[in-house]
Amino acid sequence: MHHFQYKGNELYAEDVAVREIVEKVGTPLYLYSHATLERHYRAMDEAFAAVPHTICYSMKANSNLAVLKTFFGLGGGVDIVSGGELYRALAAGVEPCKVVYSGVGKKDDEIEYALNTGILMFNVESEEELDRIDMIAGRLGKKAGIAIRVNPDVDPETHPYITTGLKKAKFGINIERSLEQYRRAARMANLDVMGIDCHIGSQLTKVSPFVDTIKKLKRLIEGVRESGINLRYFDLGGGLGITYSDEAPPLPAEYGAAITAETKDLGLHLLFEPGRNLVGNAGIMVAKCLYVKRGEEKNFVIVDAAMNDLARPSLYGSYHGVQAVRKDQEGVTVADIVGPICESGDFLAKDREVPSFRQGDLVAFMSAGAYGFAMSSNYNSRPRAVEVMVKGDAFVVVRDRETYGDLVRGERIPDFL
Ligand SMILES: *Cc1c(COP(=O)(O)O)cnc(C)c1O
């Protein structure tokens, strides 16, 4: 459920007409609904009400400060994957003790930054990383909280690019080698081995891969405990899917019930790293129709947003619903919706039955709150879109549209030219 609904023929974001926002800030535009963000966070939080838990929002899905602040205000923390994300999270007021740090390629300066900040723990993804963190913590005179990200070799049955928990993936430490690495970590002077972590993939539409993973990890947890290691946290990662088109992922309550049943006797504090599930349907992207090109073989609706603004369709062939901001078009057309970028891969929707858009019409791309703006780039020297948050009948620009000046900031022409 989300708060982008029609009132009469007009698409609204909560109590504001989308058209009214476009008149103020232009297109392309990312629009987030505060009520939807809050609703999704609370649904996840309530799903685990029976067990001690913390929701560490996976901020790579959408790292806008206003989005972060919304979740921090509700008691959330973050899962970060870079020093830049830590900087953003701190700027939005995160409590350091609610930060977990994942990622296969943490750099020395990033590890140092996280240790000096006092984050809860590092989710360690390789044997060498254990040594690295131990060494840096020793140098700083700190104790580093760590969990091992275990690769459980479970198939999440999702898109190959967002599958992370199979043996062939680059992520985590193989489950068969994990116990040995736990024992090794426990002997390191500057590590506090406090948790176990996994994250098997994204956009999962079933509960069973999560449950299979937990069952596998429970055997490992036993072994770790028998080795005298005091585990306190079980980080279950993120990955719960959303409805883009006709997918029917489990509701947070079902996901919560299944996981709670499997974990409640472990005596561990659960951590979750949802990304897409919290923000995906809480955002839309709005573009303006520039031209309509009718061809013999295909029709094209050319809009002022492109693959640099919303990369998912060209990157993964992903589906985003397409809706008219004002439903006054007569009839429907089968068309590709494409952007101005000089690449054939620059499409936002393919062979789609859409309202018969005309020049100047506003087009909404639904479910664009996750991996939307966050994956945007300046390709073709296109300034990145403006971001707006709506709450009730108010809306605020939460990131300015980039200017041409922004495009060349930091560049210089050498004297020898
Ligand atoms: C991307 C990622 C997530 C979030 O995945 P979603 O599918 O958006 O919930 C969580 N944890 C880790 C380690 C990730 O890389």
Side-chain angles (χ1 to χ4, degrees):
M1 255 308 290
H2 55 74
H3 293 265
F4 299 100
Q5 306 291 344
Y6 288 98
K7 293 187 186 174
N9 277 339
E10 283 284 337
L11 185 64
Y12 272 68
E14 301 192 19
D15 301 325
V16 190
V18 172
R19 170 174 301 273
E20 185 190 322
I21 300 171
V22 170
E23 279 164 9
K24 290 262 165 56
V25 305
T27 50
L29 149 74
Y30 272 93
L31 195 48
Y32 309 125
S33 154
H34 182 271
T36 312
L37 293 169
E38 184 168 338
R39 179 194 171 102
H40 290 172
Y41 181 92
R42 287 194 193 283
M44 190 64 77
D45 200 27
E46 281 159 20
F48 294 98
V51 283
H53 69 275
T54 305
I55 294 175
C56 295
Y57 166 57
S58 177
M59 62 178 282
K60 74 177 193 281
N62 184 328
S63 55
N64 186 282
L65 297 181
V67 172
L68 297 179
K69 182 72 188 175
T70 300
F71 296 140
F72 300 160
L74 295 165
V78 274
D79 170 42
I80 61 169
V81 292
S82 71
E85 286 197 345
L86 179 54
Y87 180 84
R88 278 184 172 277
L90 291 169
V94 76
E95 295 169 68
C97 64
K98 291 182 180 173
V99 178
V100 298
Y101 189 171
S102 307
V104 294
K106 303 177 187 79
K107 296 197 294 183
D108 289 8
D109 63 310
E110 293 176 311
I111 294 168
E112 234 177 273
Y113 183 22
L115 284 168
N116 285 329
T117 300
I119 67 165
L120 178 67
M121 67 184 193
F122 295 87
N123 289 332
V124 176
E125 306 224 14
S126 66
E127 305 176 9
E128 289 192 351
E129 188 189 328
L130 277 176
D131 297 290
R132 201 87 208 151
I133 294 175
D134 179 54
M135 185 197 76
I136 296 170
R139 193 171 71 212
L140 298 178
K142 309 228 181 237
K143 201 122 180 147
I146 66 120
I148 287 183
R149 176 168 175 181
V150 178
N151 181 331
D153 197 26
V154 167
D155 187 356
E157 299 172 46
T158 182
H159 192 288
Y161 283 14
I162 48 179
T163 292
T164 56
L166 280 173
K167 251 186 193 168
K168 62 185 179 196
K170 70 174 176 181
F171 301 99
I173 294 179
N174 197 315
I175 188 157
E176 281 113 50
R177 297 183 61 82
S178 290
L179 183 53
E180 177 194 329
Q181 293 308 313
Y182 266 106
R183 290 180 178 145
R184 204 167 70 83
R187 290 194 297 270
M188 294 184 187
N190 310 300
L191 299 186
D192 174 5
V193 184
M194 57 168 70
I196 182 162
D197 169 53
C198 60
H199 171 72
I200 56 175
S202 199
Q203 184 54 14
L204 272 70
T205 53
K206 290 187 200 165
V207 168
S208 52
F210 293 110
V211 173
D212 292 347
T213 299
I214 295 172
K215 286 192 198 300
K216 280 190 156 184
L217 293 191
K218 272 161 95 171
R219 291 196 288 273
L220 175 61
I221 289 170
E222 242 174 72
V224 171
R225 284 181 158 163
E226 278 163 11
S227 305
I229 295 167
N230 177 22
L231 283 187
R232 283 149 281 158
Y233 293 94
F234 191 175
D235 185 337
L236 288 136
L240 184 62
I242 63 168
T243 302
Y244 284 99
S245 159
D246 51 9
E247 306 91 333
L251 293 172
E254 297 166 52
Y255 167 77
I259 289 179
T260 301
E262 278 300 323
T263 56
K264 65 177 187 306
D265 297 329
L266 288 172
L268 293 171
H269 184 111
L270 301 185
L271 301 172
F272 295 94
E273 303 170 351
R276 189 189 312 272
N277 191 266
L278 298 188
V279 294
N281 279 319
I284 64 173
M285 183 183 72
V286 183
K288 188 193 278 181
C289 173
L290 300 175
Y291 302 100
V292 177
K293 215 158 108 166
R294 294 192 182 279
E296 262 173 48
E297 305 234 326
K298 257 185 185 281
N299 299 312
F300 293 99
V301 175
I302 301 162
V303 298
D304 65 356
M307 64 189 282
N308 73 297
D309 299 298
L310 180 62
R312 297 185 67 257
S314 39
L315 193 56
Y316 313 119
S318 307
Y319 177 102
H320 286 274
V322 171
Q323 295 185 11
V325 168
R326 187 178 170 81
K327 287 197 281 189
D328 58 2
Q329 299 81 6
E330 289 191 2
V332 293
T333 310
V334 175
D336 284 11
I337 304 197
V338 301
I341 285 185
C342 309
E343 299 265 353
S344 296
D346 180 26
F347 61 89
L348 299 168
K350 257 211 146 97
D351 298 319
R352 197 78 72 75
E353 191 170 280
V354 293
S356 298
F357 292 117
R358 298 146 308 188
Q359 252 184 23
D361 283 351
L362 297 175
V363 184
F365 297 87
M366 310 306 288
S367 316
Y371 308 105
F373 185 89
M375 279 189 171
S376 66
S377 76
N378 291 122
Y379 188 40
N380 275 214
S381 287
R382 293 168 50 82
R384 276 184 294 179
V386 61
E387 293 178 286
V388 170
M389 184 179 280
V390 176
K391 184 172 190 286
D393 59 8
F395 69 91
V396 173
V397 171
V398 293
R399 190 181 199 272
D400 290 337
R401 181 182 304 289
E402 288 180 345
T403 63
Y404 290 154
D406 291 332
L407 291 177
V408 294
R409 196 175 41 179
E411 289 185 36
R412 62 183 55 79
I413 297 173
D415 290 343
F416 53 74
L417 292 180

